[in-house]
Amino acid sequence: MNDCGTLGTDPLRTAVFTGTFDPLTLGYLDVIRRGHALFEHLIVGIGINPNKESLFNVDERVEMARQVVRPFPNVTVEAFGDLAVQFVRRIGARVILRGLRTLSDMEYEFGMTLTNHRLDPSIETVFLMADGEYSHVSSTLIKQVARDGGEDSLKRFVPEELIEPILEKLQPGTRRRGRLD
């Protein structure tokens, strides 16, 4: 048995969408929505990147992602601390799902795919192109918008359920409906 309950599911029909998701954007949600329709089981693997300073700790990111993916019955969310390819292997999946926004993403993902293939040739990577509406959105952009633009600006980039937690982190003393005085 594996950690994420994929027992009984064909490993090639289970995909793992990995990332730090700090925070989870509408672009990521678009990949999740499309991935959930393509695979029997989609696992959103929330990793820890020691090279990035996180806005939310991993437990907060897992809980927020679980709220957002609740409408998708075949999507689960799990945290991991090892390499993505090790996580995928450990849970018994054989497909890594990745979203591509830009050509620079493609270069980075190409290198990662080659590395993952060297680490485990049985694991395949499947790419979905980002919807053009979200191709410019990054977690860094979200943090800037939250600091300077507030709730109305964030609605264009993140799921509604995440606006308040993002604002609480980046604008202490701010409530959803306006600033506290």
Side-chain angles (χ1 to χ4, degrees), residues 12-89:
L12 292 174
R13 303 223 2 108
T14 298
V16 182
F17 181 37
T18 61
T20 54
F21 305 112
D22 186 43
L24 194 143
T25 67
L26 290 175
Y28 292 137
L29 185 58
D30 179 59
V31 172
I32 292 167
R33 179 188 55 76
R34 292 162 54 207
H36 111 90
L38 293 172
F39 295 96
E40 191 174 312
H41 186 194
L42 178 62
I43 300 162
V44 177
I46 299 185
I48 300 163
N49 184 341
N51 298 323
K52 288 184 178 180
E53 186 176 326
S54 296
L55 180 61
F56 296 98
N57 69 45
V58 71
D59 294 330
E60 291 170 321
R61 288 181 275 148
V62 166
E63 183 53 39
M64 289 186 297
R66 285 180 177 155
Q67 286 178 342
V68 171
V69 303
R70 197 168 282 135
F72 309 115
N74 64 330
V75 177
T76 57
V77 179
E78 302 294 332
F80 70 98
D82 45 354
L83 294 175
V85 72
Q86 293 170 326
F87 174 65
V88 171
R89 182 185 321 125

Side-chain angles (χ1 to χ4, degrees), residues 18 83-86 88-89 96 98 108-125 127:
T18 61
L83 294 175
V85 72
Q86 293 170 326
V88 171
R89 182 185 321 125
I96 297 174
R98 301 296 297 160
Y108 172 80
E109 293 294 344
F110 182 73
M112 287 304 303
T113 299
L114 292 174
T115 301
N116 288 341
H117 188 72
R118 289 291 272 173
L119 293 171
D120 190 333
S122 71
I123 295 177
E124 294 293 338
T125 302
F127 296 99

Side-chain angles (χ1 to χ4, degrees), residues 150-166:
E151 179 181 348
D152 289 337
S153 298
L154 277 178
K155 287 179 182 179
R156 296 179 182 102
F157 305 110
V158 299
E160 179 90 20
E161 305 92 320
L162 304 187
I163 292 173
E164 190 169 341
I166 292 168

